[in-house]
Amino acid sequence: MLAACPGPPDPTPADAAAYLGLADGTTKTYQIGQGITETHDITASSIISEEGGLVFDVTAKQNGFVTSETQDRTLTIEVGADVARVRRLFDCVVRCGELSAPIALFPIPLDAGGQEQTTVEVSVTENNGAPTVTTETHTVLVADESEVTVPAGTFTGYSVSWSRARAETSDTAILVLVPEVGIVRWDGFDGSRLELL
């Protein structure tokens, strides 16, 4: 009688984090304009995953500081074995965006046509003032893989559209995610374009 070979191990949150280019203690640098760079510091978060996943704070800084321009790119991401979600918005020092539920980003691995939609209450507190609560609907859609060239090189990645609607306004960010590398291009909600250096 022949013994069967064991199957491949089930994916873990650590595998998913590596797939998304997230690792504690790393920094990614992006060109945002002529002579202007933005760094994204990735650190293990103090937020605990209720599902046993990994949670990372991504802090976007220009000239070493979180600014009003970088707040929309500063967030806390939870990674499970097969999914990524936003757990908190902003840096929670100057501005804090607490969510009534995590915002679903996309299943892992990325797959063209994948779509998630989440409606949440966002409680935003600025400088220890009274919170403002709004209802937001976040829609994330994964497009086909395509080639993209940024200062760091030419990559094949997935274009991810992330739309946010609240009250009578809506805006969209476009991320280009490359497996095992992370975000190589980010067209932000504010219209700025970041490209990995």
Side-chain angles (χ1 to χ4, degrees):
M1 184 167 135
L2 295 173
C5 293
D10 290 334
T12 66
D15 295 332
Y19 178 82
L20 295 177
L22 297 171
D24 182 32
T26 60
T27 297
K28 297 188 180 202
T29 303
Y30 297 88
Q31 180 177 320
I32 190 168
Q34 191 65 25
I36 301 172
T37 59
E38 182 171 299
T39 59
H40 291 194
D41 297 331
I42 302 166
T43 56
S45 179
S46 61
I47 294 176
I48 304 297
S49 171
E50 295 173 6
E51 288 84 30
L54 299 173
V55 185
F56 298 93
D57 292 325
V58 179
T59 307
K61 298 177 182 177
Q62 289 180 14
N63 298 321
F65 298 97
V66 176
T67 66
S68 59
E69 291 83 16
T70 65
Q71 284 285 357
D72 271 346
R73 294 181 291 275
T74 296
L75 43 87
T76 300
I77 299 174
E78 178 180 18
V79 180
D82 59 358
V83 69
R85 307 173 194 76
V86 174
R87 287 288 304 268
R88 184 174 63 194
L89 301 172
F90 318 127
D91 68 340
C92 284
V93 174
V94 174
R95 187 177 195 202
C96 194
E98 297 292 343
L99 306 171
S100 61
I103 299 169
L105 289 176
F106 34 71
I108 301 169
L110 293 167
D111 188 24
Q115 182 173 345
E116 298 288 340
Q117 188 172 65
T118 310
T119 299
V120 295
E121 298 291 321
V122 181
S123 177
V124 177
T125 306
E126 298 197 43
N127 296 320
N128 296 320
T132 303
V133 179
T134 58
T135 301
E136 297 183 358
T137 299
H138 293 257
T139 305
V140 179
L141 178 63
V142 180
D144 290 332
E145 276 188 297
S146 62
E147 196 171 87
V148 61
T149 300
V150 296
T154 299
F155 301 92
T156 299
Y158 292 89
S159 181
V160 178
S161 170
W162 178 4
S163 297
R164 157 181 85 180
R166 53 188 160 196
E168 297 177 9
T169 65
S170 66
D171 43 18
T172 300
I174 305 292
L175 314 173
V176 178
L177 269 160
V178 174
E180 311 297 331
V181 175
I183 298 170
V184 299
R185 179 182 286 160
W186 187 330
D187 292 331
F189 290 116
D190 63 356
S192 58
R193 171 170 279 184
L194 282 73
E195 295 184 318
L196 186 66
L197 287 172

